[in-house]
Amino acid sequence: MSSPVVGIVANPISARDIRRVISYAGGLQITDRANMVLRILAGMAATGIKKTVIMPENAGLRGHLMRALTRSKNAGDGHFPEIRTLDMPVTGDATDTARAARIMREMEVAAIVVLGGDGTHRVVVANCGDIPIAGVSSGTNNAFPESREPTVTGLGVGLAVTGQVPPGIAFTANKRLDVMVNGSLEIALIDVAFVRERFVGSRAIWKTECFHELFVTFGSPGGIGMSSIAGLVAPVSRSDRFGRRIVFESPETASFAVRASIAPGLIAPVGIADVQTLQFDQPITPETRAGSIAFDGEREVTFGKADEVLVTLRDGAFRTIDIEACMAHAADKGCLVEQAEHQTKLKQVKGG
Amino acid sequence: MTRKISMKEAVNEALDQEMQRDPTVVVMGEDIVGGTGSPGEDDAWGGVLGVTKGLYAKHGDRLMDTPLSESAYIGAAIGAATCGLRPVAELMFVDFMGVCLDEIFNQGAKFRYMFGGKVETPVVIRAMCGAGFRAAAQHSQMLTPVFTHIPGLKVVCPSNAYDTKGLLAQSIRDNDPVIFLEHKNLYAHESDVPEESYTIPFGEAAVLREGKSATVATYGQTVHRSVEAAETLAKDGVDVEVIDLRTLSPIDNDTVIESVEKTGRLVCVDEANPRCSIASDVSATVAQEAFGALKAPIQMVTAPHTPVPFSPALEDLYIPTADGIADAVRKTMAA
Amino acid sequence: MSATATAVSAQGSDSPFPLEKDDLLSAYRTMKTIREFEDRLHVDFARGDIPGFVHLYAGEEAAATGIMMHLTDEDRIASTHRGHGHCIAKGVSVHEMMGEIYGKVSGACRGKGGSMHIADLSKGMMGANGILGAGAPLACGAALAAKKLGHKGVGISFVGDGASNQGMFLESLNLAGVWELPVIFVVENNGYAESTSVDWAVASDSYVDRANGFGLPGVTVDGTDFFAVHEAAGEMIRRARDGGGPSLLECKMIRFHGHFEGDAQTYRAEGEVEDIRNNRDCIKMFADRVSEAGVISRVETDAVDAEVATLIDSAVEQAKAAPLPDTADLLTDVYVKY
């Protein structure tokens, strides 16, 4: 069994924006995040992972981790794999996430485990190339990462990257939205929203009167964030071979409006003017002529009439680890069963 | 109409009347309601010794319980005082001033001077002081000199119910920060107090007993011990004048000096520790201003330079006694 | 990130920013006034013109300006030792400030306070403060007064990353929560407590965590981005005015100068200051953005620059020419009446 290196991205800046004030969004404490990383590490160690790398930060995560690792080492319990901090400067914002993901891609880690919400996942995917990722939901808006106990995510990732689960089962290809602004590429994993506000400001979008247009890769009725609007109007799954485009107008004048969970704690009526299906690889020029573009719920780019903006849905754009499938495979094949005799018993039980 | 009430009741009455008179007066402190939010809040504690009992039922949320965070709420009282309120903040025991002294001596006390005379900080900080309650080292100090040392603060320490009511009303109406110290051993002490509201100006000592032989200058609990000593000495034909300083900043040196010019002898009695105390301050002033009038060296009767001990046997030795004061007077008479 | 220059009509509500053109120009003027004021002090202090010591706010202008634009004179702020920017953004006269820093009777405090104690209650400025963290209880008091007196004022407490470790500050977070005060705690995190790095001095240096620990919502923004600060502060201040209670805003920002003037900043990485001056100057970023959007032209910002330079020139001239305090002033203003 090989001992691949797994990367961990946990940026303390995630889940810290204005949504905590406007709508009671969660803000996982640093100690909680450190404990989540430790549980991921424990899961991975149990599958034979020996080496991990983590992005550096300066908000106290590292201190908690190092104390726990030192205690474990002193106790000799072998609870955690080796953890190395990447050698890179820390700026204290999302660029740390991007830089860490790039370095992990260059060093060809076997997978990247991402702690965060949609915003952090988006930054990792934009920079990690073909490296598969596994998300641990801990951000503000968590439409993309699934809610799962991090220990199990650690186990699933370990099973996948050590080859105990075949790649065909372990890895899933995902859709993505590409947005070209004057030839410069930005991406979104779930949704691209065009809003009239022409400044990035505190990034979050919640002023529905400024909503103009939305593109989604998937949108589930039970989802959260902008994509939930599509979910309520015309649902699309992660595996569907198309996406959606929705054009908004004021709820007063629109032919109909939906009350959607546009952000955690924020349910607002949104007027729907038009709904279209998006096909792969067909660039579309948005109707919005000036404003800002929010990727996965956060304003990132402002643009005006002279700027050329194109939105394209892409297929098979990046890989994720399907934890549920990995665990199912492990159960089926007895990957986590310790001795051969028990393997036999397990077969009997299953058969019984 | 006048009737006898205790010093504790005098505090309560002054707060009540000032809150009725001026809607900007608010009262805050640890347990001063003593049960905000609890089912029996209208009959709640009213302070650890019940000084503010009943005020919450009358004035509602103008009385505010605080968390045990002296820096935060004393600072908030001072901040609010610069913004249109007249807060009375109770600090329970003066010994706790240490945890919030910055807000008092670096903030409230200095605002007016530091900001060029453009700010008024009408805040009163009330606290219990003094020994005799078997409350030991951290709940029994006087600490009066700590506050008189600081420019910008006014310091009051009454000895009876009448003065307490009038001086507390004056403190609340005063436009400077006032440290108002209530000797806990005197809370039950009763005296004649008018029902109606009145004030006593700062910087005016009270001559409690006139005499020609010697002057005793003191304040707080030792006022009563000094009067007791004077009565004892009177039987021996020694005629002692007893002065209750009442306010320590401003301090009424004139009354003391006038008295010393008459008697030629001075005993300063102070329950505070001796170094840089009120006693040493008054002594120094008299020595400087009225040296020629002195017929004998000034005597000082103070607590020793020790923390307040717990054991009743020791604590009784710590506080200046009537006998000790009488001895000091005899000593100055003999010189 | 901004796309390339475009011409957008800046008339009326067509402004693509949350502020109309006049307000944007006013924000620029405030930031530029702070910068020019501090840069002038930097030079004049080095020349020996200024007594005592000064702590400069240059590099951090977007935070003070983005917050203070939401405030009126009825709103109170409790500032820090690095208070010049807060004063200017709150509307204190730069002539009176400069006079104060020169120790003249023309000063905001008649020369008795100095740089670290500039106050103007008529403008809602409760004072710069030489005691770190001491302003937090005072801002709670201002908020309490607003609440009890029934007006819509708020209190704003500024602390740095260093002072956020003070008990007074942490107690204030709790008090504000318990009393539901209309107060906003602004942590200006410039990465250094004097010379000690925040990484070292703060055990869990997420200020949002600290706020959460006291039941207050906390938000972190890029303090060099005027719009980010303005928008977040606006939401928090509106919330506080409407009875929504206290909150905490962490602004991650950058200090151009040392802790105080004369600090050689040997503890900073080589090239750190040059890099931030070139690439993370909040005023330059603001000007670029509004001009790229076609709302404010370079000609207009140049005109403001010239106007501000003249203003500071006259403040320095007046301060130098103003009389020193009288001997008698030593003893006045200790008490209202003693």
Side-chain angles (χ1 to χ4, degrees):
Chain A
M1 195 193 295
S2 62
S3 180
V5 179
V6 178
I8 297 170
V9 168
N11 192 336
I13 196 65
S14 86
R16 291 291 182 246
D17 71 24
I18 187 70
R19 285 170 283 188
R20 266 127 291 273
V21 164
I22 57 174
S23 64
Y24 303 97
L28 208 59
Q29 305 235 336
I30 294 298
T31 44
D32 288 331
R33 298 183 206 206
N35 288 339
M36 287 169 81
V37 172
L38 289 167
R39 304 208 294 279
I40 293 163
L41 291 172
M44 292 198 292
T47 63
I49 299 291
K50 299 268 189 290
K51 288 183 178 168
T52 62
V53 290
I54 190 164
M55 66 172 272
E57 46 69 51
N58 54 18
L61 265 178
R62 187 172 34 180
H64 288 285
L65 294 178
M66 290 310 149
R67 281 192 288 275
L69 262 62
T70 304
R71 282 194 291 269
S72 168
K73 197 175 164 192
N74 292 344
D77 59 16
H79 204 58
F80 302 115
E82 177 193 315
I83 183 163
R84 188 173 69 77
T85 305
L86 294 179
D87 183 17
M88 57 173 253
V90 176
T91 54
D93 55 29
T95 58
D96 292 340
T97 302
R99 189 178 284 123
R102 275 199 301 278
I103 295 173
M104 288 173 186
R105 183 187 68 199
E106 283 158 16
M107 60 188 285
E108 296 179 343
V109 297
I112 300 175
V113 183
V114 184
L115 268 79
D118 299 337
T120 304
H121 282 83
R122 168 180 168 269
V123 175
V124 172
V125 168
N127 291 280
C128 74
D130 195 39
I131 310 280
I133 65 164
V136 175
S137 166
S138 57
T140 305
N141 197 73
N142 300 299
F144 185 79
E146 295 164 325
S147 288
R148 189 186 309 285
E149 165 53 39
T151 315
V152 181
T153 305
L155 279 172
V157 170
L159 291 167
V161 302
T162 53
Q164 297 174 69
V165 178
I169 295 169
F171 304 125
T172 310
N174 294 270
K175 294 180 275 187
R176 183 179 91 183
L177 283 161
D178 287 358
V179 180
M180 298 293 282
V181 183
N182 300 330
S184 163
L185 175 68
E186 291 285 330
I187 65 155
L189 312 189
I190 316 145
D191 52 58
V192 174
F194 288 82
V195 298
R196 289 193 184 85
E197 298 144 300
R198 198 163 160 196
F199 62 103
V200 168
S202 55
R203 297 184 180 275
I205 52 172
W206 71 92
K207 292 170 185 157
T208 50
E209 68 275 15
C210 295
F211 290 3
H212 199 266
E213 199 169 358
L214 177 73
F215 297 80
V216 302
T217 56
F218 67 87
S220 133
I224 183 72
M226 293 299 284
S227 68
S228 75
I229 301 172
L232 292 171
V233 175
V236 200
S237 78
R238 291 182 198 237
S239 57
D240 280 338
R241 308 291 295 153
F242 54 88
R244 293 274 189 229
R245 174 194 192 183
I246 296 177
V247 180
F248 301 119
E249 67 176 87
S250 158
E252 282 83 44
T253 56
S255 56
F256 73 102
V258 288
R259 273 199 310 280
S261 314
I262 57 168
L266 207 63
I267 298 116
V270 184
I272 307 293
D274 192 17
V275 181
Q276 297 160 10
T277 298
L278 276 182
Q279 303 299 341
F280 289 126
D281 303 321
Q282 292 184 2
I284 292 173
T285 303
E287 282 188 5
T288 319
R289 301 305 302 139
S292 54
I293 312 174
F295 301 94
D296 297 329
E298 293 177 29
R299 280 170 283 167
E300 291 283 344
V301 178
T302 59
F303 69 104
K305 283 176 189 153
D307 295 308
E308 192 193 14
V309 182
L310 286 172
V311 183
T312 314
L313 181 69
R314 302 288 186 197
D315 186 22
F318 67 101
R319 293 193 296 160
T320 48
I321 298 176
D322 187 339
I323 304 296
E324 198 66 47
C326 289
M327 297 310 291
H329 180 84
D332 188 40
K333 302 293 180 196
C335 299
L336 296 170
V337 172
E338 299 215 326
Q339 288 154 7
E341 51 189 293
H342 294 151
Q343 190 76 270
T344 318
K345 279 185 188 160
L346 186 68
K347 277 182 184 151
Q348 288 166 0
V349 173
K350 280 182 182 166
Chain B
M1 210 186 94
T2 298
R3 77 283 188 235
K4 268 197 171 4
I5 61 170
S6 68
M7 199 165 113
K8 188 162 92 173
E9 288 164 329
V11 173
N12 188 294
E13 195 166 283
L15 289 172
D16 187 15
Q17 289 178 350
E18 289 307 302
M19 289 186 89
Q20 280 178 35
R21 190 187 59 80
D22 181 350
T24 66
V25 175
V26 296
V27 177
M28 63 176 80
E30 292 156 1
D31 300 310
I32 60 133
V33 176
T36 308
S38 67
E41 63 180 11
D42 282 359
D43 192 33
W45 264 20
V48 67
L49 294 183
V51 174
T52 44
K53 193 167 178 73
L55 295 180
Y56 181 69
K58 278 190 191 170
H59 302 287
D61 64 8
R62 286 169 67 197
L63 281 94
M64 289 169 281
D65 273 338
T66 67
L68 303 189
S69 309
E70 288 85 357
S71 285
Y73 80 81
I74 294 294
I78 288 165
T82 67
C83 299
L85 289 183
R86 284 187 182 269
V88 180
E90 180 185 306
L91 199 88
M92 205 179 291
F93 293 93
V94 70
D95 313 72
F96 305 166
M97 290 274 188
V99 297
C100 60
L101 200 54
D102 180 77
E103 293 292 340
I104 298 169
F105 89 117
N106 266 327
Q107 310 299 329
K110 292 192 171 76
F111 281 167
R112 186 159 182 82
Y113 191 83
M114 198 162 69
F115 299 158
K118 295 180 183 169
V119 180
E120 295 185 358
T121 312
V123 66
V124 181
I125 300 169
R126 293 178 43 236
M128 282 185 269
C129 69
F133 226 66
R134 314 315 187 198
Q138 295 168 342
H139 291 71
S140 302
Q141 299 166 87
M142 289 300 286
L143 298 180
T144 39
V146 170
F147 304 106
T148 55
H149 183 71
I150 300 162
L153 294 182
K154 290 177 178 172
V155 183
V156 181
C157 188
S159 68
N160 60 67
Y162 176 85
D163 288 353
T164 296
K165 183 174 168 185
L167 287 168
L168 182 52
Q170 174 59 37
S171 299
I172 293 169
R173 297 180 200 186
D174 201 88
N175 290 326
D176 289 308
V178 178
I179 307 291
F180 193 90
L181 299 172
E182 300 159 16
H183 201 297
K184 59 177 101 49
N185 235 13
L186 298 178
Y187 266 154
H189 184 270
E190 292 189 343
S191 55
D192 290 334
V193 177
E195 281 178 3
E196 63 273 17
S197 176
Y198 60 94
T199 60
I200 297 172
F202 290 166
E204 289 188 12
V207 179
L208 295 186
R209 192 179 190 286
E210 294 195 10
K212 297 191 191 73
S213 314
T215 303
V216 174
T218 186
Y219 65 97
Q221 174 174 231
T222 46
V223 165
H224 303 280
R225 297 179 180 214
S226 299
V227 169
E228 192 188 330
E231 280 160 8
T232 307
L233 290 163
K235 292 171 195 157
D236 304 334
V238 181
D239 187 15
V240 177
E241 181 146 305
V242 179
I243 297 172
D244 181 353
L245 295 165
R246 301 200 290 191
T247 69
L248 307 174
S249 185
I251 190 163
D252 183 2
N253 286 318
D254 292 349
T255 296
V256 180
I257 290 168
E258 275 168 32
S259 174
V260 170
E261 279 166 351
K262 179 172 68 177
T263 63
R265 292 179 163 85
L266 176 63
V267 176
C268 293
V269 183
D270 191 352
E271 194 187 312
N273 300 106
R275 300 286 316 284
C276 305
S277 61
I278 305 301
S280 64
D281 183 58
V282 172
S283 301
T285 305
V286 170
Q288 183 173 298
E289 305 291 327
F291 189 74
L294 287 170
K295 296 174 190 159
I298 298 167
Q299 295 295 318
M300 286 192 274
V301 184
T302 67
H305 192 59
T306 69
V308 183
F310 166 64
S311 170
L314 294 175
E315 192 186 26
D316 290 346
L317 290 174
Y318 175 93
I319 309 168
T321 59
D323 286 348
I325 296 164
D327 285 349
V329 174
R330 288 189 195 102
K331 202 170 167 188
T332 180
M333 296 304 294
Chain C
M1 177 184 157
S2 174
T4 51
T6 53
V8 171
S9 161
Q11 298 304 306
S13 59
D14 288 347
S15 169
F17 298 105
L19 292 164
E20 298 303 328
K21 179 174 177 173
D22 285 353
D23 290 331
L24 291 169
L25 259 179
S26 155
Y28 180 78
R29 185 178 295 108
T30 302
M31 291 194 281
K32 198 69 192 182
T33 305
I34 299 171
R35 177 68 56 83
E36 188 72 21
F37 190 91
E38 301 294 59
D39 282 355
R40 196 71 60 92
L41 284 181
H42 179 69
V43 173
D44 292 356
F45 185 88
R47 201 169 41 222
D49 291 356
I50 294 163
F53 39 94
V54 289
H55 307 82
L56 303 185
Y57 196 74
E60 308 185 350
E61 293 87 348
T65 308
I67 293 162
M68 250 64 96
M69 285 194 82
H70 297 286
L71 304 181
T72 70
D73 290 349
E74 203 173 48
D75 299 313
R76 301 294 174 103
I77 68 162
S79 172
T80 67
H81 61 296
R82 200 176 301 288
H84 301 164
H86 303 146
C87 288
I88 291 172
K90 197 73 177 70
V92 180
S93 142
V94 292
H95 287 82
E96 290 188 13
M97 289 175 63
M98 198 61 91
E100 191 59 36
I101 290 165
Y102 275 82
K104 300 298 183 72
V105 279
S106 63
C109 307
R110 304 182 53 76
K112 286 180 169 180
S115 163
M116 271 190 290
H117 306 297
I118 298 173
D120 185 347
L121 272 286
S122 71
K123 296 286 181 192
M125 169 63 189
M126 297 175 80
N129 210 312
I131 306 297
L132 302 184
L138 302 175
C140 286
L144 175 70
K147 194 173 169 174
K148 292 288 175 196
L149 297 172
H151 65 75
K152 287 274 187 183
V154 298
I156 312 272
S157 157
F158 287 91
V159 289
D161 46 276
S164 77
N165 289 327
Q166 287 283 7
M168 288 183 276
F169 174 70
L170 299 168
E171 285 186 18
S172 298
L173 293 179
N174 184 60
L175 185 74
V178 170
W179 280 350
E180 278 290 307
L181 296 176
V183 62
I184 289 100
F185 298 94
V186 179
V187 179
E188 296 185 320
N189 180 357
N190 63 22
Y192 295 97
E194 303 198 355
S195 66
T196 304
S197 163
V198 65
D199 304 356
W200 188 85
V202 185
S204 179
D205 51 357
S206 166
Y207 296 95
V208 172
D209 279 9
R210 290 193 170 186
N212 288 345
F214 294 99
L216 276 56
V219 168
T220 300
V221 295
D222 177 355
T224 65
D225 180 346
F226 168 84
F227 293 104
V229 176
H230 180 270
E231 189 168 46
E235 287 300 322
M236 297 172 125
I237 290 165
R238 181 188 54 70
R239 180 179 185 271
R241 284 197 208 289
D242 293 348
S247 53
L248 179 147
L249 177 64
E250 178 195 10
C251 298
K252 282 180 175 280
M253 39 214 261
I254 288 165
R255 198 176 79 195
F256 277 11
H257 297 285
H259 168 60
F260 46 62
E261 282 310 272
D263 171 2
Q265 303 198 73
T266 48
Y267 46 84
R268 293 181 92 157
E270 204 177 322
E272 180 182 328
V273 177
E274 289 68 30
D275 178 59
I276 59 180
R277 277 181 183 268
N278 293 332
N279 301 314
R280 298 188 66 193
D281 178 339
C282 62
I283 301 181
K284 194 170 165 295
M285 291 191 289
F286 176 91
D288 286 350
R289 204 175 297 172
V290 291
S291 94
E292 276 169 10
V295 179
I296 295 176
S297 69
R298 294 288 181 192
V299 176
E300 288 168 305
T301 51
D302 288 350
V304 171
D305 293 354
E307 179 195 314
V308 166
T310 309
L311 176 75
I312 303 300
D313 280 344
S314 94
V316 172
E317 256 168 55
Q318 256 189 38
K320 285 183 172 169
L324 290 162
D326 285 341
T327 314
D329 289 335
L330 174 67
L331 302 180
T332 57
D333 296 330
V334 181
Y335 295 91
V336 179
K337 185 169 170 284
Y338 194 58

